[in-house]
Amino acid sequence: MNYDKNNIFSKILREEIPCSKVYENDYVLAFHDINPQKKVHVLVIPKGEYIDLDDFNNKASEKEIIEFNKAITHVANLIGSKDNGYRALTNIGSDGGQEVPHLHFHIFSGEKIGKMVS
């Protein structure tokens, strides 16, 4: 599968679509989900063109990988999830439930999350 430069996250990165930004650096953008599934629902995406976690781990530089992973923890702390916990989740491929073909982690918090899979 080739990267789709017209996916919604790519458009957000190009500022063609606005977002409610939580955090940004040279490698990562984090923003509130427009259709939150929990009380707090933030998305963390790399700025590079990566389809999913497999693609990212195979193609990203060490610096991108480090910065992305550090950003997930940093964003969780920014949104006040450090004390009570949070869930960081990514979906890979159609069977994994991935809807947007750009790597993204969901950070859910602010309430009891529940079972991992039902």
Side-chain angles (χ1 to χ4, degrees), residues 22 32 40-42 74-82 107-109:
V22 172
H32 291 279
V40 177
H41 186 173
V42 172
H74 182 67
V75 169
N77 288 330
L78 284 176
I79 61 176
S81 300
K82 183 177 180 180
I107 298 178
F108 301 110
S109 69

Side-chain angles (χ1 to χ4, degrees), residues 51-69:
I51 296 168
D52 57 27
L53 188 60
D54 294 339
D55 188 40
F56 181 71
N57 284 330
N58 286 322
K59 296 178 182 173
S61 70
E62 285 187 38
K63 181 71 171 171
E64 288 174 297
I65 292 169
I66 290 166
E67 290 296 323
F68 186 72
N69 281 289

